[in-house]
């Protein structure tokens, strides 16, 4: 899944801490994740007057690879052309991450550009510790942080899949994905719908290749600032259709002042390497 992108809603009888006590379960589900490259066409669905956006479109490329023993990598690029009526600009976010489930490590590197000019770079590393998550930032400034216990992105995706398989429709978790300035985690609430099969008029289902007719779960994840009160609006919300292997399609990304849709345009399965034996 995408970093600082996921959007889903609330309260499960199983907390994120419960999964931390079950690495064998996570390992088993992780072996079912498919290495792939997915390309999504983005369009503006809605924008408030306050957003200042008159039109917006773009493309998102998400590449996921790896295995439980060696760790998982993601390469993510999110390019949009934004028309405000007065000017047009191109925004380009490029992110690379590495996550080791068995070692509790996560590294992240994000570069953000506007019209090919670098605006911001955020990178660093995070490590699960008994007292929480220790973050060593190198950009935008070198510093060490101690955050509350949090899930990393692939861990969180595994939680979503496990809850979906178990029929548990609501849960919450604290997630650290290195987004924004890389200095905080976000509280997430997730709603998982009942498993469905595609219907004939689903435009991007056919682009899922061999999974075009496979069952999926509708998922919504909402992200809140870490100290958010229960009545606070999420900073971001994302809905999508999730396959058991971790592939997603039919995205809706709600940023509050504007909403984007992302339709799966192309799906490429990456060469599957022989899984190594964990030491």
């Amino acid at each position: 899944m995408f970093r600082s992108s996921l959007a889903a809603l609330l309260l499960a009888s199983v907390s994120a801490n419960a999964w931390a006590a079950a690495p064998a379960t996570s390992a088993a589900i992780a072996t079912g994740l498919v290495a792939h490259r997915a390309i999504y066409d983005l369009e503006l669905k809605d924008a408030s007057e306050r957003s200042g956006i008159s039109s917006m479109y773009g493309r998102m490329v998400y590449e996921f690879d790896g295995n439980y023993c060696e760790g998982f990598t993601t390469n993510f690029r999110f390019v949009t052309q934004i028309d405000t009526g007065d000017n047009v600009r191109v925004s380009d976010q490029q992110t690379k991450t590495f996550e080791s489930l068995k070692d509790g490590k996560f590294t992240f590197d994000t570069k953000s550009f506007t019209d090919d000019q670098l605006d911001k770079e955020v990178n660093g590393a995070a490590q699960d510790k008994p007292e929480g998550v220790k973050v060593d930032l190198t950009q935008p400034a070198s510093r060490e942080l101690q955050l509350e216990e949090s899930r990393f992105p692939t861990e969180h995706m595994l939680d979503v899949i496990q809850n979906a398989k178990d029929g548990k429709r609501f849960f919450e978790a604290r997630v650290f994905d290195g987004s924004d300035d890389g200095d905080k985690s976000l509280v997430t609430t997730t709603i998982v719908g009942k498993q469905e099969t595609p219907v004939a008029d689903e435009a991007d289902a056919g682009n899922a290749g061999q999974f075009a007719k496979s069952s999926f779960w509708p998922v919504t994840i909402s992200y809140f600032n870490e100290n958010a009160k229960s009545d606070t609006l999420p900073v971001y919300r994302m809905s999508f259709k999730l396959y058991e292997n971790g592939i997603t399609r039919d995205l809706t990304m709600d940023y509050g002042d504007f909403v984007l849709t992302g339709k799966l345009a192309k799906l490429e399965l990456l060469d599957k390497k022989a899984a190594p034996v964990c030491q």
Side-chain angles (χ1 to χ4, degrees):
M1 264 306 299
F2 328 102
R3 39 194 325 272
S4 100
S5 289
L6 312 175
L9 304 163
L10 215 113
L11 299 170
S13 54
V14 179
S15 70
N17 291 340
W19 297 115
T25 301
S26 292
I29 302 173
T31 60
L33 298 179
V34 172
H36 67 282
R37 182 184 297 111
I39 300 174
Y40 303 87
D41 288 332
L42 307 176
E43 288 187 1
L44 184 67
K45 180 180 181 181
D46 189 31
S48 68
E49 190 173 327
R50 185 172 62 177
S51 73
I53 298 172
S54 58
S55 71
M56 186 176 180
Y57 67 91
R59 176 158 279 196
M60 181 169 69
V61 181
Y62 175 79
E63 184 176 299
F64 178 85
D65 201 357
N67 54 67
Y68 179 81
C69 295
E70 296 176 327
F72 294 96
T73 60
T74 64
N75 286 279
F76 170 81
R77 190 170 185 183
F78 191 103
V79 181
T80 53
Q81 180 170 298
I82 306 165
D83 186 347
T84 64
D86 296 322
N87 61 68
V88 177
R89 65 181 186 273
V90 175
S91 173
D92 184 357
Q93 178 183 318
Q94 302 172 21
T95 296
K96 297 180 180 180
T97 71
F98 169 79
E99 182 176 345
S100 172
L101 295 174
K102 66 185 184 69
D103 297 327
K105 294 181 179 179
F106 178 67
T107 63
F108 53 95
D109 183 4
T110 295
K111 295 180 177 68
S112 300
F113 300 83
T114 300
D115 294 334
D116 295 325
Q117 298 297 312
L118 180 65
D119 287 332
K120 186 176 183 181
E121 182 172 1
V122 178
N123 56 56
Q127 172 76 62
D128 275 332
K129 297 286 186 181
E131 62 275 16
V133 173
K134 180 178 179 291
V135 180
D136 290 305
L137 275 174
T138 52
Q139 292 282 359
S142 180
R143 56 183 176 137
E144 293 186 358
L145 300 159
Q146 184 65 50
L147 305 178
E148 291 186 46
E149 183 177 356
S150 304
R151 307 299 274 166
F152 296 138
T154 303
E155 282 184 307
H156 188 229
M157 174 58 72
L158 296 177
D159 292 351
V160 174
I161 294 171
Q162 183 64 62
N163 275 277
K165 293 174 75 172
D166 290 346
K168 293 168 180 170
R169 303 302 176 200
F170 306 94
F171 74 100
E172 61 182 359
R174 184 179 294 273
V175 176
F176 177 83
D177 62 9
S179 58
D180 295 328
D181 291 324
D183 58 355
K184 62 179 179 293
S185 56
L186 293 174
V187 175
T188 68
T189 61
T190 301
I191 292 177
V192 181
K194 292 183 179 180
Q195 196 168 39
E196 302 176 14
T197 53
V199 295
D201 61 349
E202 289 189 59
D204 67 345
N207 295 328
Q210 67 188 69
F211 308 112
K213 296 182 180 180
S214 298
S215 298
F216 61 83
W217 294 284
V219 176
T220 302
I221 305 172
S222 297
Y223 291 81
F224 299 83
N225 285 322
E226 55 184 337
N227 297 318
K229 296 178 181 178
S230 59
D231 59 350
T232 302
L233 293 174
V235 295
Y236 179 82
R237 178 183 291 128
M238 184 170 182
S239 300
F240 49 92
K241 291 171 180 173
L242 171 66
Y243 295 99
E244 187 176 341
N245 55 23
I247 292 172
T248 62
R249 65 174 180 84
D250 195 10
L251 318 175
T252 300
M253 295 163 279
D254 186 347
Y255 295 89
D257 287 338
F258 65 96
V259 181
L260 289 175
T261 60
K263 299 298 184 182
L264 181 64
K266 183 178 180 181
L267 176 66
E268 178 185 354
L269 301 185
L270 304 179
D271 290 339
K272 189 172 183 179
K273 305 172 183 134
V277 177
C278 292
Q279 298 298 317

